[in-house]
Amino acid sequence: MDVMPKWAEVVLVPLISLLLAAILSGLVILAIGEDPIAALKLMIDGALGSTYGWGYTLYYATNFMFTGLAVSVAFHARLFNIGGEGQAMLGGLGVALACLFIPWPHWSLGLLGAIVLAGAFGAIWAAVPAYLQAKRGSHIVITTIMFNFIAAAVLNYMLVNVLRPKGAMDPATARFPEAVHLPTLHDILAPIGISFSKAAPANVSLLVAIVACVLIWLLIWRTKLGYEIRAYGHSESAAKYAGISPVKITMIAMIISGALAGMMAINNVMGEAERLVLNATEGAGFIGIAVALMGRSHPLGVFIAAILFGFLYQGGAELALWTSIPRELIVVIQALVILFTGALDNMVRMPLERIFLALRKGGN
Amino acid sequence: MDFFTLIQILDATVRLAIPLLLACLAGLFSERAGIFDIGLEGKMLAAAFFSAAIASMTGSVWIGLLAGIAASLFLSGIHGLASITFRGNQLISGVAINFLAAGMTVLIAQSWFSQGGRTPSLSGAERFNPINFPGALTTTNEVKAASPLMQVYSELLSGHSLLVYVALLTVPMTWWLLYRTRFGLRLRAVGENPAAVDTAGVSVVGLRYAAVAICGILCGIAGAYLSTALQAGFVKDMSAGRGFIALAALIFAKWRPWHALYATFLFGLFQALELRPDVIEAVIGMKVQGQFLGALPYIMTVVILAGFVGKAIPPRAGGEPYVKER
């Protein structure tokens, strides 16, 4: 029997970890001579106070849903995919190729094509480390880190030497044709009478991300494959004994993970920038780690954590605009969240377990 | 390509390889004791900032160096707490440390100096300046005209900062410590089979904390070298992936000190060549993409990891927290 009730495990531990991260972030803001309460107010106002703010919050959240889900699926098979960043970069390349070289008649078909190509590119970029882990025993964390750097070099090469239009100075592709411009939330909500900011980048990809959350939930908890992935994650030897092939599960989990990370590109490349630029991912692949840890690798948790991080991102941008607090504050908060919900998990859990144990003894 | 160009490139190789070497040896201590450390990058970055910042404030590079080491040790302490005491995930802790350093350095730099996340440039006693050997020529024109032997002496051997020579000395010292002392034997044992060390009555926790602390000190020196010797001041994200190249070099070297020297110098050579595309073109007769040279350490590491060129087997207990039997 578990020491702690389930609600404590699922809600209390992450909440306390989050609280610790928030308190430390507040202290950091105090230490650099700013007012944490005023900063929080400004963030809430900037990120949630208008449909413009919401539009940015949801735009960032869409990125993080994809990368968070990517890290989660790998986590379920006890694989740590640090390569979301590189996979998302390659996904961007897939989206750019789909949008630039195929004359789509309508954005919806273009979106489907972009999803397929972005997913395929991301999946391939994850499949190589997965194969090396499954067949050659090379540690997936190291190889995915290396693949991030290789992806950056590939993208740099493609943008500077291949995809850059003639005469253009900056390393970026040409603008995507009008036909593949995705409808923004403004376009979607206007027909049903809700006015939403026109300038904000949140777009139809958000709905794709939500569908992805549901599908991943179905996959992990309602299918045989999901069961096998979880079984493998809990105990490799038990899974092997039950006839589950480690090679197959490692490959499949990583391919799904890579495809999800790659699909992020429909949001940032196709939906927002409408061309592929260097550093299009802006670290979203790494934020996926924080999102997955905070969301306890559950799609619903990932959804909520992604929106929280979307809020932090947009709020942080507002802070950088109006105060002297640089944007890097968000990186610090992200680090603290990863530290407390991921690495120092037991620091919160051990004392809690002791408390619950004492309570139970007292009850008897 | 003339001889002088070759010497120049080798000289650049030394300068660029030193931070890789120090970080690689740092990782070696940690991983040999069974603690994975992907936070080398963050520790270097934090040390680079605090060295430059404190050196600039006090006017003494030595106090700066100590501050850098202290900052790196602090992050090592977090890593130790997370991965040894609380038996957390060492990889996740490393990721957190990298982000913590990336964010905090800019935040503090902005708060202290208001120069967009950098420190003021350092000069004079605020830096580790080049040490010129007796009789060494100092100006480029003089060296160019001298004999090949004199060129090697003046350009390649002389004229580096103190930390370069210190870093080179740490290689034999690491070898001696690991393979010729009792502490080294125990350290290696704790990374292979901690239960055996525990049975022998030696503290696993103590040994691992010691290894993580040594790792912190070496990363601290590496960071200080970046901002006070290689360059004159801190700029945002100045470690630029060196911690990960060092990690790659560590695998390349298969966790052995002398091989770490060779691996980091090889990767340092790639970095030096990346800066001189004209030389590569002249030597092999065709243009090599700079991006390819930049990615080469990572590609080579993947190939090595895949076991196509000799298998790299990490310490057996690496990455796993030790739980004492009850």
Side-chain angles (χ1 to χ4, degrees):
Chain A
M1 194 177 150
D2 290 334
V3 180
M4 278 195 287
K6 194 151 188 250
W7 65 268
E9 178 72 41
V10 177
V11 180
L12 200 58
V13 174
L15 217 59
I16 293 177
S17 303
L18 205 63
L19 205 64
L20 283 172
I23 291 170
L24 271 182
S25 308
L27 288 178
V28 167
I29 298 177
L30 265 184
I32 59 172
E34 297 275 341
D35 178 1
I37 304 294
L40 184 64
K41 266 196 190 130
L42 196 63
M43 284 174 85
I44 292 176
D45 219 41
L48 310 175
S50 63
T51 58
Y52 175 80
W54 268 104
Y56 267 95
T57 299
L58 290 175
Y59 161 72
Y60 289 123
T62 309
N63 284 342
F64 306 152
M65 277 176 214
F66 281 117
T67 54
L69 283 178
V71 177
S72 303
V73 171
F75 270 157
H76 278 294
R78 200 172 286 183
L79 294 163
F80 189 9
N81 179 12
I82 295 196
E85 186 76 4
Q87 290 142 20
M89 282 181 202
L90 263 281
L93 199 58
V95 165
L97 295 180
C99 291
L100 287 171
F101 296 105
I102 304 175
W104 301 101
H106 189 256
W107 66 263
S108 56
L109 293 174
L111 181 61
L112 282 179
I115 289 175
V116 169
L117 232 65
F121 272 54
I124 290 170
W125 211 246
V128 181
Y131 177 82
L132 293 175
Q133 157 97 29
K135 283 283 192 186
R136 318 281 314 186
S138 31
H139 204 295
I140 201 151
V141 170
I142 304 289
T143 35
T144 47
I145 291 177
M146 299 298 139
F147 265 64
N148 280 341
F149 287 102
I150 301 173
V154 167
L155 193 66
N156 190 305
Y157 173 79
M158 289 300 285
L159 287 181
V160 172
N161 300 61
V162 183
L163 292 173
R164 185 169 50 136
K166 277 204 167 51
M169 284 307 286
D170 57 332
T173 66
R175 288 211 161 272
F176 298 159
E178 196 68 41
V180 292
H181 287 191
L182 296 181
T184 60
L185 283 194
H186 167 81
D187 303 331
I188 298 170
L189 294 176
I192 50 173
I194 302 171
S195 70
F196 198 87
S197 165
K198 216 171 177 172
N203 59 73
V204 68
S205 308
L206 173 65
L207 304 179
V208 181
I210 293 171
V211 171
C213 286
V214 176
L215 288 180
I216 292 300
W217 178 79
L218 280 173
L219 171 81
I220 296 290
W221 275 280
R222 287 292 178 273
T223 67
K224 184 164 167 261
L225 178 65
Y227 177 77
E228 288 180 351
I229 290 177
R230 283 183 295 135
Y232 177 76
H234 275 291
S235 164
E236 193 182 330
S237 50
K240 254 193 217 160
Y241 190 68
I244 297 168
S245 154
V247 175
K248 182 186 132 192
I249 296 300
T250 305
M251 291 296 294
I252 290 181
M254 278 303 284
I255 283 173
I256 295 172
S257 174
L260 283 166
M263 272 187 240
M264 182 196 111
I266 60 166
N267 187 45
N268 66 340
V269 178
M270 194 173 179
E272 200 252 351
E274 294 171 345
R275 62 180 189 148
L276 182 60
V277 296
L278 276 179
N279 192 27
T281 49
E282 292 181 286
F286 295 117
I287 294 169
I289 299 168
V291 169
L293 286 170
M294 221 183 99
R296 285 286 184 267
S297 299
H298 190 289
L300 182 63
V302 166
F303 177 80
I304 296 168
I307 290 184
L308 182 78
F309 267 91
F311 155 73
L312 284 176
Y313 239 65
Q314 170 56 14
E318 290 285 320
L319 273 187
L321 202 60
W322 301 113
T323 69
S324 63
I325 304 175
R327 252 197 113 132
E328 276 72 14
L329 174 68
I330 305 310
V331 182
V332 174
I333 297 178
Q334 178 192 341
L336 292 171
V337 168
I338 295 178
L339 193 66
F340 283 107
T341 58
L344 287 173
D345 192 50
N346 279 337
M347 190 174 83
V348 176
R349 177 164 296 145
M350 283 173 179
L352 266 183
E353 280 181 350
R354 229 166 284 148
I355 292 171
F356 275 103
L357 216 56
L359 281 180
R360 193 180 305 154
K361 271 185 194 146
N364 286 342
Chain B
M1 186 176 69
D2 58 355
F3 186 69
F4 182 63
T5 314
L6 176 71
I7 295 298
Q8 272 188 323
I9 288 178
L10 290 179
D11 180 55
T13 302
V14 173
R15 271 184 280 122
L16 292 168
I18 291 303
L20 301 179
L21 175 63
L22 284 165
C24 185
L25 292 174
L28 192 142
F29 274 103
S30 185
E31 302 212 346
R32 268 299 173 103
I35 304 291
F36 279 157
D37 194 348
I38 56 176
L40 298 173
E41 175 85 3
K43 289 201 270 274
M44 253 206 282
L45 190 65
F49 169 70
F50 280 98
S51 302
I54 302 297
S56 155
M57 284 170 166
T58 61
S60 158
V61 71
W62 288 101
I63 301 177
L65 174 68
L66 287 181
I69 292 176
S72 174
L73 270 175
F74 174 73
L75 292 180
S76 275
I78 294 180
H79 191 54
L81 196 68
S83 48
I84 304 169
T85 305
F86 290 113
R87 294 181 217 130
N89 188 319
Q90 301 169 5
L91 300 163
I92 292 174
S93 164
V95 171
I97 283 168
N98 286 337
F99 286 125
L100 199 59
M104 285 303 279
T105 49
V106 178
L107 222 58
I108 300 174
Q110 185 60 25
S111 163
W112 285 0
F113 304 107
S114 306
Q115 294 187 7
R118 54 170 69 225
T119 63
S121 14
L122 307 174
S123 59
E126 298 163 2
R127 284 188 71 194
F128 282 107
N129 292 306
I131 298 173
N132 286 311
F133 288 2
L137 307 170
T138 46
T139 65
T140 312
N141 283 336
E142 270 178 353
V143 178
K144 220 170 177 175
S147 67
L149 208 62
M150 195 61 191
Q151 287 188 1
V152 171
Y153 180 70
S154 301
E155 181 77 18
L156 187 56
L157 299 180
S158 160
H160 294 292
S161 69
L162 178 69
L163 291 183
V164 171
Y165 305 108
V166 168
L168 292 172
L169 269 180
T170 47
V171 179
M173 277 165 60
T174 302
W175 173 83
W176 179 79
L177 194 62
L178 276 183
Y179 295 101
R180 287 292 178 274
T181 66
R182 190 192 300 194
F183 172 74
L185 178 68
R186 288 173 174 176
L187 191 102
R188 284 180 292 134
V190 90
E192 298 288 339
N193 191 345
V197 177
D198 204 13
T199 311
V202 183
S203 162
V204 173
V205 169
L207 271 170
R208 287 193 163 171
Y209 264 109
V212 167
I214 296 174
C215 170
I217 293 170
L218 289 174
C219 277
I221 302 175
Y225 174 82
L226 284 181
S227 62
T228 63
L230 190 64
Q231 280 162 42
F234 173 87
V235 288
K236 182 181 160 178
D237 285 332
M238 78 180 303
S239 50
R242 285 187 174 88
F244 295 109
I245 299 187
L247 214 56
L250 183 60
I251 295 163
F252 208 71
K254 296 177 188 167
W255 296 269
R256 292 170 298 183
W258 284 104
H259 293 78
L261 178 71
Y262 313 144
T264 48
F265 271 67
L266 181 67
F267 291 173
L269 177 66
F270 293 153
Q271 291 192 336
L273 285 176
E274 208 184 335
L275 302 174
R276 293 292 299 267
D278 55 312
V279 172
I280 313 171
E281 207 172 333
V283 171
I284 61 170
M286 59 180 238
K287 215 173 154 209
V288 175
Q289 293 300 334
Q291 297 100 334
F292 178 71
L293 271 176
L296 206 52
Y298 307 115
I299 297 173
M300 286 173 74
T301 305
V302 172
V303 172
I304 292 290
L305 267 174
F308 296 124
V309 195
K311 200 150 176 57
I313 301 165
R316 201 173 330 146
E320 278 171 29
Y322 177 65
V323 185
K324 209 182 173 87
E325 242 179 297
R326 283 172 223 259

